[in-house]
Amino acid sequence: MGSVILLIAGLLFIAVSVIGKKMDENFLRDSFTTDGTVVDIMEQLQKTSNSAHLVLRPVIDYKLDKIYRFTAEVDARRYRIKTGDSLQILVSRDNHKVAKLKQGRKESTLLLNIFLLLGIIACLLSAHLFQPSELSIKWLQDPFSLALVGGALIFAYIKVYPALQILLSHGLKHSENAREVEESL
């Protein structure tokens, strides 16, 4: 049973990686580069289960048809970003309120590649550890269990399939992270 759970975990890691890479690929394809100016550095406390540390997030303005402001998802200290710096921003063509700092993409790509690698390793390890005796089809002989599994499959089809259709037809999109501002650059 452990190898089946490991296989499911590996497949989930692979799915997260593939979906994340698809989102990133769609965003890059449908975005353009513009210049932005760091107008502030915001302090943000990030807590983990046993510690907390301060992260400095750059607040960036960029001008298109209007002036937009967003907080980048990178640590300003790591990239040596200071107030007044000019940076390249990736902005969605469809929605100018979706922006990403161009130089911060390496971290998300690395994380998605690590997820893919972990998923592949878990699936291979699962295949290596698999014992045919682990699987038992005795539950197929029990009408209650069979009805329960059938009901779960029907429920999944009714509830999950429409959501998957919408997701596949409309694509994966990043959420808005910028707002319009009145101030000038």
Side-chain angles (χ1 to χ4, degrees):
M1 188 67 178
S3 65
V4 174
I5 293 172
L6 193 58
L7 176 66
I8 291 170
L11 292 175
L12 285 174
F13 274 118
I14 291 171
V16 166
S17 175
V18 169
I19 290 170
K21 286 181 179 219
K22 185 72 173 168
M23 279 182 70
D24 204 32
E25 179 183 300
N26 289 343
F27 179 72
L28 287 175
R29 185 185 59 237
D30 298 334
S31 66
F32 62 92
T33 304
T34 188
D35 291 325
T37 303
V38 179
V39 294
D40 193 15
I41 303 290
M42 183 179 78
E43 293 181 352
Q44 185 178 42
L45 190 63
Q46 283 191 338
K47 296 179 182 179
T48 59
S49 59
N50 57 358
S51 68
H53 66 281
L54 189 67
V55 178
L56 301 178
R57 304 274 187 218
V59 179
I60 303 167
D61 281 2
Y62 58 98
K63 184 175 183 175
L64 301 172
D65 53 340
K66 300 173 185 171
I67 299 172
Y68 298 93
R69 178 174 292 168
F70 80 103
T71 303
E73 299 170 348
V74 299
D75 191 347
R77 289 178 289 205
R78 181 173 180 170
Y79 291 97
R80 297 184 179 138
I81 297 172
K82 300 180 290 295
T83 303
D85 285 356
S86 181
L87 302 170
Q88 288 195 317
I89 310 298
L90 293 169
V91 180
S92 171
R93 290 184 202 284
D94 299 333
N95 185 354
H96 292 169
K97 291 184 178 181
V98 178
K100 302 283 180 196
L101 187 59
K102 189 172 185 179
Q103 69 190 84
R105 290 193 53 255
K106 292 177 187 173
E107 293 165 346
S108 63
T109 302
L110 176 65
L111 182 64
L112 292 173
N113 286 336
I114 289 172
F115 270 49
L116 181 63
L117 181 66
L118 287 174
I120 291 170
I121 290 171
C123 288
L124 291 174
L125 189 59
S126 171
H128 177 70
L129 296 175
F130 178 72
Q131 299 291 324
S133 60
E134 282 184 4
L135 291 180
S136 171
I137 54 173
K138 290 180 183 176
W139 60 270
L140 285 175
Q141 297 168 353
D142 179 21
F144 177 74
S145 298
L146 191 59
L148 193 63
V149 169
L153 290 173
I154 291 170
F155 177 79
Y157 179 77
I158 291 171
K159 292 294 184 180
V160 175
Y161 185 70
L164 283 175
Q165 275 186 318
I166 292 169
L167 184 66
L168 293 174
S169 63
H170 291 60
L172 300 165
K173 304 274 186 204
H174 286 276
S175 59
E176 291 183 357
N177 62 342
R179 65 185 190 284
E180 295 177 24
V181 292
E182 298 295 322
E183 303 170 22
S184 64
L185 291 172

